[in-house]
PDB file of all heavy atoms in Angstrom:
ATOM      1  N   ASP A 286     -68.307  16.089  74.559  1.00 94.00           N
ATOM      2  CA  ASP A 286     -68.589  17.523  74.469  1.00 94.00           C
ATOM      3  C   ASP A 286     -69.942  17.839  75.093  1.00 94.00           C
ATOM      4  O   ASP A 286     -70.021  18.555  76.090  1.00 94.00           O
ATOM      5  CB  ASP A 286     -68.559  17.955  73.005  1.00 94.00           C
ATOM      6  CG  ASP A 286     -68.631  19.472  72.860  1.00 94.00           C
ATOM      7  OD1 ASP A 286     -68.877  20.155  73.864  1.00 94.00           O
ATOM      8  OD2 ASP A 286     -68.453  19.980  71.737  1.00 94.00           O
ATOM      9  N   ARG A 287     -71.034  17.289  74.561  1.00 95.00           N
ATOM     10  CA  ARG A 287     -72.355  17.577  75.128  1.00 95.00           C
ATOM     11  C   ARG A 287     -73.355  16.522  74.681  1.00 95.00           C
ATOM     12  O   ARG A 287     -73.147  15.828  73.686  1.00 95.00           O
ATOM     13  CB  ARG A 287     -72.834  18.964  74.701  1.00 95.00           C
ATOM     14  CG  ARG A 287     -73.042  19.119  73.209  1.00 95.00           C
ATOM     15  CD  ARG A 287     -73.531  20.515  72.861  1.00 95.00           C
ATOM     16  NE  ARG A 287     -73.718  20.692  71.429  1.00 95.00           N
ATOM     17  CZ  ARG A 287     -74.799  20.315  70.759  1.00 95.00           C
ATOM     18  NH1 ARG A 287     -75.814  19.739  71.407  1.00 95.00           N
ATOM     19  NH2 ARG A 287     -74.902  20.517  69.454  1.00 95.00           N
ATOM     20  N   ALA A 288     -74.472  16.448  75.431  1.00 96.00           N
ATOM     21  CA  ALA A 288     -75.617  15.615  75.066  1.00 96.00           C
ATOM     22  C   ALA A 288     -76.866  16.315  75.585  1.00 96.00           C
ATOM     23  O   ALA A 288     -76.946  16.678  76.761  1.00 96.00           O
ATOM     24  CB  ALA A 288     -75.489  14.211  75.666  1.00 96.00           C
ATOM     25  N   HIS A 289     -77.857  16.532  74.705  1.00 95.00           N
ATOM     26  CA  HIS A 289     -79.046  17.308  75.075  1.00 95.00           C
ATOM     27  C   HIS A 289     -80.309  16.680  74.486  1.00 95.00           C
ATOM     28  O   HIS A 289     -80.268  16.074  73.413  1.00 95.00           O
ATOM     29  CB  HIS A 289     -78.942  18.753  74.573  1.00 95.00           C
ATOM     30  CG  HIS A 289     -77.910  19.558  75.276  1.00 95.00           C
ATOM     31  ND1 HIS A 289     -76.640  19.752  74.784  1.00 95.00           N
ATOM     32  CD2 HIS A 289     -77.960  20.234  76.465  1.00 95.00           C
ATOM     33  CE1 HIS A 289     -75.952  20.507  75.610  1.00 95.00           C
ATOM     34  NE2 HIS A 289     -76.737  20.814  76.649  1.00 95.00           N
ATOM     35  N   PHE A 290     -81.406  16.867  75.240  1.00 95.00           N
ATOM     36  CA  PHE A 290     -82.731  16.580  74.725  1.00 95.00           C
ATOM     37  C   PHE A 290     -83.059  17.749  73.803  1.00 95.00           C
ATOM     38  O   PHE A 290     -83.401  18.843  74.244  1.00 95.00           O
ATOM     39  CB  PHE A 290     -83.710  16.459  75.897  1.00 95.00           C
ATOM     40  CG  PHE A 290     -85.153  16.275  75.482  1.00 95.00           C
ATOM     41  CD1 PHE A 290     -85.504  15.811  74.216  1.00 95.00           C
ATOM     42  CD2 PHE A 290     -86.176  16.558  76.379  1.00 95.00           C
ATOM     43  CE1 PHE A 290     -86.825  15.652  73.853  1.00 95.00           C
ATOM     44  CE2 PHE A 290     -87.501  16.400  76.036  1.00 95.00           C
ATOM     45  CZ  PHE A 290     -87.829  15.952  74.768  1.00 95.00           C
ATOM     46  N   ALA A 291     -83.002  17.524  72.521  1.00 94.00           N
ATOM     47  CA  ALA A 291     -83.014  18.627  71.563  1.00 94.00           C
ATOM     48  C   ALA A 291     -84.409  19.076  71.168  1.00 94.00           C
ATOM     49  O   ALA A 291     -84.692  20.281  71.095  1.00 94.00           O
ATOM     50  CB  ALA A 291     -82.223  18.240  70.303  1.00 94.00           C
ATOM     51  N   ARG A 292     -85.324  18.119  70.906  1.00 94.00           N
ATOM     52  CA  ARG A 292     -86.614  18.529  70.356  1.00 94.00           C
ATOM     53  C   ARG A 292     -87.642  17.405  70.515  1.00 94.00           C
ATOM     54  O   ARG A 292     -87.279  16.253  70.762  1.00 94.00           O
ATOM     55  CB  ARG A 292     -86.465  18.893  68.880  1.00 94.00           C
ATOM     56  CG  ARG A 292     -86.154  17.731  67.976  1.00 94.00           C
ATOM     57  CD  ARG A 292     -85.800  18.178  66.573  1.00 94.00           C
ATOM     58  NE  ARG A 292     -84.604  19.002  66.562  1.00 94.00           N
ATOM     59  CZ  ARG A 292     -83.359  18.486  66.524  1.00 94.00           C
ATOM     60  NH1 ARG A 292     -83.183  17.166  66.542  1.00 94.00           N
ATOM     61  NH2 ARG A 292     -82.325  19.275  66.502  1.00 94.00           N
ATOM     62  N   PHE A 293     -88.891  17.796  70.325  1.00 94.00           N
ATOM     63  CA  PHE A 293     -89.985  16.837  70.240  1.00 94.00           C
ATOM     64  C   PHE A 293     -90.185  16.505  68.762  1.00 94.00           C
ATOM     65  O   PHE A 293     -90.608  17.360  67.976  1.00 94.00           O
ATOM     66  CB  PHE A 293     -91.275  17.413  70.837  1.00 94.00           C
ATOM     67  CG  PHE A 293     -91.213  17.607  72.323  1.00 94.00           C
ATOM     68  CD1 PHE A 293     -90.826  18.834  72.858  1.00 94.00           C
ATOM     69  CD2 PHE A 293     -91.530  16.576  73.191  1.00 94.00           C
ATOM     70  CE1 PHE A 293     -90.762  19.031  74.212  1.00 94.00           C
ATOM     71  CE2 PHE A 293     -91.472  16.763  74.563  1.00 94.00           C
ATOM     72  CZ  PHE A 293     -91.089  17.992  75.085  1.00 94.00           C
ATOM     73  N   GLY A 294     -89.867  15.279  68.394  1.00 91.00           N
ATOM     74  CA  GLY A 294     -90.029  14.881  67.011  1.00 91.00           C
ATOM     75  C   GLY A 294     -91.436  14.418  66.709  1.00 91.00           C
ATOM     76  O   GLY A 294     -92.324  14.411  67.580  1.00 91.00           O
ATOM     77  N   ASP A 295     -91.660  14.021  65.465  1.00 87.00           N
ATOM     78  CA  ASP A 295     -92.991  13.561  65.066  1.00 87.00           C
ATOM     79  C   ASP A 295     -93.399  12.302  65.810  1.00 87.00           C
ATOM     80  O   ASP A 295     -94.564  12.135  66.161  1.00 87.00           O
ATOM     81  CB  ASP A 295     -93.018  13.298  63.560  1.00 87.00           C
ATOM     82  CG  ASP A 295     -92.872  14.584  62.754  1.00 87.00           C
ATOM     83  OD1 ASP A 295     -93.189  15.657  63.309  1.00 87.00           O
ATOM     84  OD2 ASP A 295     -92.414  14.518  61.591  1.00 87.00           O
ATOM     85  N   SER A 296     -92.426  11.408  66.024  1.00 88.00           N
ATOM     86  CA  SER A 296     -92.761  10.154  66.706  1.00 88.00           C
ATOM     87  C   SER A 296     -91.709   9.780  67.729  1.00 88.00           C
ATOM     88  O   SER A 296     -91.574   8.617  68.089  1.00 88.00           O
ATOM     89  CB  SER A 296     -92.896   9.027  65.683  1.00 88.00           C
ATOM     90  OG  SER A 296     -91.706   8.888  64.928  1.00 88.00           O
ATOM     91  N   SER A 297     -90.908  10.750  68.198  1.00 92.00           N
ATOM     92  CA  SER A 297     -89.847  10.432  69.153  1.00 92.00           C
ATOM     93  C   SER A 297     -89.436  11.687  69.907  1.00 92.00           C
ATOM     94  O   SER A 297     -89.683  12.813  69.475  1.00 92.00           O
ATOM     95  CB  SER A 297     -88.631   9.842  68.422  1.00 92.00           C
ATOM     96  OG  SER A 297     -88.106  10.792  67.509  1.00 92.00           O
ATOM     97  N   LEU A 298     -88.766  11.439  71.046  1.00 95.00           N
ATOM     98  CA  LEU A 298     -88.087  12.499  71.786  1.00 95.00           C
ATOM     99  C   LEU A 298     -86.637  12.484  71.298  1.00 95.00           C
ATOM    100  O   LEU A 298     -85.912  11.512  71.516  1.00 95.00           O
ATOM    101  CB  LEU A 298     -88.164  12.242  73.293  1.00 95.00           C
ATOM    102  CG  LEU A 298     -89.568  12.033  73.868  1.00 95.00           C
ATOM    103  CD1 LEU A 298     -89.483  11.724  75.363  1.00 95.00           C
ATOM    104  CD2 LEU A 298     -90.432  13.281  73.638  1.00 95.00           C
ATOM    105  N   ASP A 299     -86.212  13.536  70.621  1.00 95.00           N
ATOM    106  CA  ASP A 299     -84.924  13.536  69.917  1.00 95.00           C
ATOM    107  C   ASP A 299     -83.808  14.101  70.781  1.00 95.00           C
ATOM    108  O   ASP A 299     -83.953  15.169  71.393  1.00 95.00           O
ATOM    109  CB  ASP A 299     -85.029  14.352  68.625  1.00 95.00           C
ATOM    110  CG  ASP A 299     -86.006  13.718  67.633  1.00 95.00           C
ATOM    111  OD1 ASP A 299     -86.197  12.488  67.719  1.00 95.00           O
ATOM    112  OD2 ASP A 299     -86.557  14.448  66.787  1.00 95.00           O
ATOM    113  N   TYR A 300     -82.670  13.383  70.793  1.00 96.00           N
ATOM    114  CA  TYR A 300     -81.474  13.798  71.516  1.00 96.00           C
ATOM    115  C   TYR A 300     -80.337  14.033  70.508  1.00 96.00           C
ATOM    116  O   TYR A 300     -80.239  13.348  69.495  1.00 96.00           O
ATOM    117  CB  TYR A 300     -81.046  12.734  72.534  1.00 96.00           C
ATOM    118  CG  TYR A 300     -81.919  12.684  73.752  1.00 96.00           C
ATOM    119  CD1 TYR A 300     -83.151  12.036  73.714  1.00 96.00           C
ATOM    120  CD2 TYR A 300     -81.530  13.287  74.951  1.00 96.00           C
ATOM    121  CE1 TYR A 300     -83.972  11.991  74.830  1.00 96.00           C
ATOM    122  CE2 TYR A 300     -82.347  13.241  76.072  1.00 96.00           C
ATOM    123  CZ  TYR A 300     -83.557  12.599  76.005  1.00 96.00           C
ATOM    124  OH  TYR A 300     -84.362  12.556  77.108  1.00 96.00           O
ATOM    125  N   GLU A 301     -79.478  14.992  70.840  1.00 96.00           N
ATOM    126  CA  GLU A 301     -78.313  15.286  70.003  1.00 96.00           C
ATOM    127  C   GLU A 301     -77.055  15.170  70.853  1.00 96.00           C
ATOM    128  O   GLU A 301     -76.988  15.725  71.945  1.00 96.00           O
ATOM    129  CB  GLU A 301     -78.411  16.683  69.405  1.00 96.00           C
ATOM    130  CG  GLU A 301     -77.293  16.997  68.418  1.00 96.00           C
ATOM    131  CD  GLU A 301     -77.455  18.362  67.772  1.00 96.00           C
ATOM    132  OE1 GLU A 301     -77.133  19.362  68.457  1.00 96.00           O
ATOM    133  OE2 GLU A 301     -77.917  18.428  66.619  1.00 96.00           O
ATOM    134  N   VAL A 302     -76.050  14.468  70.321  1.00 96.00           N
ATOM    135  CA  VAL A 302     -74.808  14.202  71.057  1.00 96.00           C
ATOM    136  C   VAL A 302     -73.634  14.689  70.217  1.00 96.00           C
ATOM    137  O   VAL A 302     -73.595  14.491  68.999  1.00 96.00           O
ATOM    138  CB  VAL A 302     -74.646  12.699  71.364  1.00 96.00           C
ATOM    139  CG1 VAL A 302     -73.383  12.452  72.182  1.00 96.00           C
ATOM    140  CG2 VAL A 302     -75.878  12.164  72.077  1.00 96.00           C
TER     141      VAL A 302
END
Side-chain angles (χ1 to χ4, degrees):
D286 189 351
R287 63 179 179 83
H289 291 97
F290 175 21
R292 68 189 62 85
F293 292 93
D295 293 337
S296 57
S297 62
L298 306 177
D299 296 334
Y300 285 79
E301 185 177 78
V302 183

